[in-house]
Amino acid sequence: RDGGLIKRQRDGRMCKHGGNSMCEYCMPIEPYDKGYLEEKGVKHMSFQAHLRKILTNHKIRGDISGGLPPNVPFPLEDPDYRVRAGCLSGHAPWPAGICSKCQPSAITLQRQPFRMVDNVEFSSPDIVDRLLAFWRATRCQRFGLLYGRYDVSPDVPLGIKAVVEAIYEPAQSWEPDGVRVAVESDAFAREVARADAVAEACGMRIVGMIFTDLTPAAEPGKVLYRRHADSYFLTSLECRLAAFMQLRSPNACRWARGGRFGSKFVTCCVGGNQDGDVDISAWQLSNSAMAMLAADLIVPSSQPSKMCVQEPTATRYVPDVFYKYTNEYNLPVTANAKPAFPVEYLLVNLTHGFPLAASSAFGSDSPFAIENREHVQQPQTLGALKRHVEAAAGSPARLAALLADFHLLVYLAGLDILGADEIRLAARVVREPAEAAVAGQQLMESPGWQTLALMLREASDSDLGGASTMTTRGSDVPDSLASVSSRPASSEPGAAAGAGSRWACRHCTFENSAAADSCDMCALPRD
């Protein structure tokens, strides 16, 4: 491609010119070309291709880096389903009065033709494997926030991919059918703000969220295939959460009114595929879904595949909502979305994968404890930090390697011992590997680190805490990310330990080494 244009080969049947010429059958085409998208089966063009199409239709050309020309309307605008404030028609403001100028128009739900992000790439399989370790140990689901960066996606015309470098696991509680996260609480906001600050120092930002939905199958090493076209891909409750998080992370865009348009926040689910293997699916909620949530028009239902439309109240205006589908006679039909409609009308699907060679910025060979896992592993304490730092043995290079851990950096920021400059200095270990040793030496000589070192020397041995053995509740749990299906580019094995390195006792579920013939906990034989 050249400048976003899609190059085409010379057509031997239609092209009658020489090799140094081109015609309408072989000249490059725009990334939004309808024929090309239909030929490739592309449901959602990239946002940049959609933007180029809009600018072309508005006949906006040339260098307009300083802004749009006078009297030229903004080409992009998010839908708004709320009653317009400040109506000049002379009636009392809503809810005392309303007119056709300030009331929102009827909503017709349809597939969004573009997507803000085209691909989700996990820079290393170990990132997801550490999340799955919690489910292997407890059989309970887990929720995490994705931190990384956005980059060019070479497989999609003008595409964008979210590159995930780390997963942060905020405070959460277990439920019989999932996990509960208080995303609207002040404690969650403070926790995420701390992780955001560390991520910014490392040159990253929050790019999405991920959660598990795994249920072991009767066949050993397999999980149930629950999310498919005949059931649901995301539940209505998950859709509402995704739309809420997207509203919290708007996408900056100078082509839109207010400087914001849509969101690049992605949602990933780790579940079972049709082969019974662990797989990842990636989604986004449409701009219409975000607008409906902002206007308080939708609410989750008890049926996972359906989203309910709110009832109008004295302060909530609910416009007519429709959706289109094809009936059994292959005819388009418009149906009323009240009281509920399928959640598929709000979804935009993305691709996902892993690179052929793992390239995660956080590759510590001695990983620090993960936050909010006190019930299954060693907690994050000063004692644990003391043992972790003592492994560096005063070597700046070794300390730099240990600091290449996002969970450790967030914990250090939460201690309020290191200043902002010292946190940024520690983050240089991740951002600039070539200067990791120098940054580590400067950090060890900083006042904040000296204070931390003094506190660690005074920490008692009782604060060290022993790492609890993470035992599974059965022997049919996949032991490595090799069971995770992904794109062909991510099929490289060898990211995690093999499944036969340990075995779980069928009597007490304690994990034993492969060389043991009997259980170290209950002394019963292996077979």
Side-chain angles (χ1 to χ4, degrees):
R1 299 190 297 271
D2 183 15
L5 297 177
I6 302 173
K7 293 184 178 181
R8 296 185 293 176
Q9 299 295 329
R10 187 175 183 274
D11 193 328
R13 296 178 303 171
M14 305 300 296
C15 297
K16 306 301 181 183
H17 51 77
N20 295 330
S21 304
M22 63 177 58
C23 64
E24 60 178 324
Y25 298 104
C26 62
M27 66 183 300
I29 59 177
E30 294 286 352
Y32 54 82
D33 183 80
K34 182 178 180 180
Y36 173 81
L37 298 178
E38 292 179 352
E39 178 186 353
K40 298 298 183 180
V42 178
K43 295 181 180 179
H44 310 279
M45 71 179 79
S46 66
F47 169 65
Q48 295 297 329
H50 173 72
L51 177 59
R52 176 175 291 192
K53 179 181 179 181
I54 296 296
L55 295 180
T56 302
N57 294 339
H58 282 68
K59 299 180 180 179
I60 300 177
R61 300 183 180 88
D63 183 13
I64 49 177
S65 57
L68 291 171
N71 302 323
V72 175
F74 285 94
L76 296 177
E77 188 170 359
D78 274 321
D80 190 355
Y81 304 136
R82 295 168 292 190
V83 176
R84 297 176 181 86
C87 183
L88 302 178
S89 296
H91 58 76
W94 171 261
I98 194 172
C99 68
S100 59
K101 294 182 180 180
C102 58
Q103 70 180 20
S105 303
I107 304 171
T108 301
L109 298 175
Q110 53 190 347
R111 185 176 66 195
Q112 184 169 285
F114 65 93
R115 53 189 180 187
M116 305 296 294
V117 175
D118 302 279
N119 179 264
V120 181
E121 179 181 286
F122 293 88
S123 58
S124 172
D126 291 337
I127 299 174
V128 185
D129 193 44
R130 295 188 71 184
L131 181 74
L132 291 177
F134 183 90
W135 178 77
R136 297 192 191 105
T138 64
R139 287 289 175 81
C140 296
Q141 311 305 330
R142 197 64 173 166
F143 172 86
L145 298 175
L146 305 177
Y147 283 90
R149 53 187 170 81
Y150 296 108
D151 203 350
V152 176
S153 179
D155 300 327
V156 180
L158 295 181
I160 298 174
K161 65 179 179 180
V163 182
V164 180
E165 300 281 358
I167 298 178
Y168 180 82
E169 302 175 14
Q172 52 199 279
S173 59
W174 302 342
E175 296 292 336
D177 57 347
V179 61
R180 181 186 295 272
V181 185
V183 294
E184 300 184 29
S185 66
D186 294 337
F188 178 84
R190 290 191 298 269
E191 193 174 5
V192 174
R194 182 170 63 248
D196 288 346
V198 174
E200 183 179 0
C202 297
M204 303 187 305
R205 56 175 297 180
I206 186 170
V207 298
M209 67 180 186
I210 188 172
F211 59 91
T212 62
D213 183 19
L214 298 168
T215 303
E219 183 180 356
K222 299 294 183 178
V223 293
L224 294 181
Y225 180 39
R226 300 177 54 188
R227 297 174 182 258
H228 47 78
D230 295 330
S231 59
Y232 56 84
F233 298 107
L234 288 181
T235 67
S236 56
L237 186 62
E238 294 162 355
C239 287
R240 188 187 185 281
L241 173 61
F244 174 81
M245 297 299 292
Q246 289 182 199
L247 287 171
R248 286 180 52 134
S249 304
N251 173 59
C253 180
R254 63 189 177 93
W255 301 106
R257 190 182 307 277
R260 307 289 179 88
F261 183 79
S263 173
K264 291 190 177 75
F265 192 93
V266 302
T267 298
C268 297
C269 175
V270 183
N273 60 15
Q274 58 186 357
D275 297 325
D277 297 326
V278 179
D279 198 3
I280 302 174
S281 57
W283 305 90
Q284 277 193 306
L285 272 292
S286 66
N287 291 8
S288 295
M290 297 169 58
M292 294 182 74
L293 180 62
D296 194 23
L297 300 183
I298 53 177
V299 64
S301 69
S302 58
Q303 187 174 353
S305 61
K306 297 286 186 179
M307 181 72 76
C308 288
V309 179
Q310 291 270 46
E311 292 293 332
T313 64
T315 58
R316 181 198 300 127
Y317 181 85
V318 180
D320 293 330
V321 184
F322 304 96
Y323 67 95
K324 295 182 179 180
Y325 69 96
T326 302
N327 62 12
E328 63 272 18
Y329 305 106
N330 201 28
L331 296 175
V333 178
T334 300
N336 195 332
K338 298 178 182 179
F341 61 92
V343 296
E344 284 80 6
Y345 286 87
L346 306 177
L347 297 179
V348 178
N349 64 306
L350 316 179
T351 60
H352 78 280
F354 300 89
L356 290 175
S359 59
S360 176
F362 300 99
S364 177
D365 54 358
S366 179
F368 191 60
I370 298 177
E371 60 280 340
N372 301 309
R373 287 193 181 184
E374 292 80 4
H375 43 286
V376 295
Q377 68 169 25
Q378 171 186 293
Q380 289 184 337
T381 62
L382 282 178
L385 180 61
K386 175 181 180 180
R387 181 167 55 188
H388 193 76
V389 173
E390 283 179 347
S395 170
R398 181 61 177 161
L399 177 62
L402 294 176
L403 286 176
D405 190 309
F406 186 73
H407 305 283
L408 173 60
L409 293 177
V410 175
Y411 178 70
L412 290 175
L415 293 177
D416 292 330
I417 299 175
L418 302 181
D421 293 338
E422 291 161 328
I423 292 295
R424 284 192 290 269
L425 186 62
R428 284 180 55 191
V429 174
V430 181
R431 285 202 328 267
E432 304 171 12
E435 301 181 9
V438 177
Q441 181 65 38
Q442 294 176 353
L443 179 63
M444 294 175 65
E445 297 174 354
S446 65
W449 187 265
Q450 295 293 331
T451 302
L452 177 63
L454 179 61
M455 294 181 62
L456 294 181
R457 284 195 296 268
E458 297 297 328
S460 62
D461 293 338
S462 60
D463 294 332
L464 292 177
S468 59
T469 303
M470 300 179 67
T471 59
T472 61
R473 300 184 183 179
S475 59
D476 57 346
V477 182
D479 286 333
S480 72
L481 197 59
S483 61
V484 177
S485 297
S486 60
R487 299 289 174 249
S490 59
S491 303
E492 292 293 322
S501 58
R502 301 181 68 85
W503 60 276
C505 177
R506 60 189 180 91
H507 304 284
C508 68
T509 73
F510 183 83
E511 275 197 343
N512 300 273
S513 63
D517 295 327
S518 61
C519 180
D520 293 336
M521 178 62 69
C522 63
L524 292 176
R526 179 174 181 174
D527 298 328

